[in-house]
Amino acid sequence: MNAPRTRVQRRPVHGVLLLDKPLGLSSNQALQKAKWLLRAEKAGHTGTLDPLASGVLPLCFGAATKFSQLHLDADKTYEATARLGVRTSTGDAEGEVIDQRPVAVTPADLARVQLQFTGPMRQVPPMHSALKKDGKALYEYAREGIEIERAARDVVIHTLALSQQSANEIRILASVSKGTYIRTLGEDIGEALGCGAHLRALRRTATGGFNASQCVTLDALEAMSEDERLAQLLPVESLVAGHASVMLEAEDAARFLSGLRRRGDWPDAAEVAVFGHTPHAFLGTAHVKAGELIPGRLLNPIEIQQTLLTEATP
């Protein structure tokens, strides 16, 4: 007989965990595992990675979930291996082979295609994606053999490097804007080379200002003590590290947190990170217009106290 399962006592945890998502797990499965290990009450991730992809997956806990959208919109960097000469139904190694063609790719071909796919472009999302139509994910339609018309999206390939690994494999290094599908990019590159392609491997190496060298694996996290796990968390404000910052004294900070605008000599800005001076604490985001600091996403006083306690954990 199996022993009764111990109920996990949840607790308020605030911060950002940079996870190196393993192959074989969905982003949500990885999130739920990390949430269980940290005994966190509230958690979310900042952008889906397919089960067949690994790499940087920032996980947001507690107050950090209020700012997760900022990294959904962040630029991302990927490393992929594409198999030339074979197209599949899903654009990756999971799908059925639907087309095979001979491969005759030269360095000059790669240089031409690399230039062709660098910069702004229009990209049609793949059917095997989590995008929804009438409340149903496109991949669910695809599994039923139903093709849904998809509108092309504007995306930007900031940098692209293609190199030949073998006669029928190329390596793709790409830094891209939000909404870019690397599987689709791999397929389009294959078509431009005249032989078709599908992704054999995919790894996200950076998102926003975070990179793979900062990440922890689930196995490493599981081997840690609870205090060591908490010590892996970056502060909530790490999600707004690229923002200009505004510091408020105690009275202005209290009024700002109650939703009141503050006046100062700040330059206009679409989004700023706002801090309280004593104690030094992240309060939330705002934008500045004509010298007015206009509240955006705000932490509440309880969250602020709890974040200070989380950050104080040795």
Side-chain angles (χ1 to χ4, degrees), residues 32-313:
Q32 295 307 319
K33 177 70 171 178
K35 182 181 178 183
W36 182 82
L37 288 170
L38 286 165
R39 298 197 290 114
E41 290 177 343
K42 185 178 182 182
H45 60 69
T46 59
T48 301
L49 269 178
D50 291 342
L52 287 182
S54 66
V56 184
L57 182 65
L59 303 181
C60 297
F61 295 90
T65 60
K66 293 182 176 181
F67 309 94
S68 60
Q69 181 65 41
L70 298 173
H71 274 261
L72 287 173
D73 297 340
D75 292 341
K76 297 172 175 65
T77 302
Y78 294 91
E79 179 177 338
T81 300
R83 170 72 185 275
L84 302 179
V86 180
R87 291 177 57 232
T88 70
S89 57
T90 59
D92 59 27
E94 266 198 331
E96 297 178 359
V97 174
I98 57 174
D99 181 36
Q100 295 190 63
R101 282 177 267 173
V103 178
V105 173
T106 67
D109 293 329
L110 290 182
R112 169 182 58 81
V113 171
Q114 181 175 298
L115 183 63
Q116 177 183 341
F117 284 92
T118 301
M121 58 183 291
R122 303 275 287 169
Q123 188 184 71
V124 177
M127 276 299 300
H128 285 267
S129 69
L131 290 177
K132 292 189 175 180
K133 167 74 172 177
D134 299 329
K136 187 174 177 179
L138 291 184
Y139 66 77
E140 295 182 75
Y141 289 104
R143 288 170 182 169
E144 297 168 4
I146 301 172
E147 181 85 9
I148 300 294
E149 186 174 347
R150 290 98 65 205
R153 293 176 161 190
D154 291 314
V155 299
V156 181
I157 312 300
H158 299 296
T159 63
L160 179 65
L162 304 178
S163 58
Q164 195 146 11
Q165 301 296 94
S166 66
N168 61 359
E169 281 192 349
I170 60 171
R171 184 184 185 215
I172 301 171
L173 295 176
S175 177
V176 302
S177 68
K178 70 171 183 178
T180 305
Y181 287 90
I182 303 301
R183 272 183 300 153
T184 300
L185 177 63
E187 288 184 300
D188 291 344
I189 287 172
E191 288 305 307
L193 290 169
C195 58
H198 71 272
L199 288 195
R200 191 178 63 77
L202 176 63
R203 179 167 176 78
R204 183 192 287 164
T205 58
T207 175
F210 303 132
N211 62 67
S213 67
Q214 300 170 276
C215 293
V216 63
T217 66
L218 282 175
D219 286 344
L221 197 67
E222 191 163 17
M224 295 176 184
S225 68
E226 284 208 334
D227 284 348
E228 288 172 331
R229 290 170 189 165
L230 287 176
Q232 296 297 312
L233 293 174
L234 299 179
V236 174
E237 59 263 33
S238 65
L239 292 172
V240 295
H243 291 22
S245 62
V246 168
M247 187 70 70
L248 298 177
E249 296 297 336
E251 184 176 342
D252 276 334
R255 291 178 181 274
F256 173 78
L257 285 174
S258 70
L260 296 178
R261 301 182 179 192
R262 301 287 84 205
R263 292 204 63 84
D265 58 357
W266 308 293
D268 284 4
E271 198 143 33
V272 296
V274 184
F275 295 85
H277 190 272
T278 307
H280 180 80
F282 177 56
L283 307 180
T285 59
H287 70 276
V288 180
K289 185 175 182 180
E292 276 198 323
L293 186 68
I294 303 168
R297 303 176 184 88
L298 304 179
L299 277 69
N300 62 52
I302 293 176
E303 288 173 333
I304 292 170
Q305 290 300 317
Q306 290 173 344
T307 57
L308 292 174
L309 289 173
T310 298
E311 291 166 18
T313 300

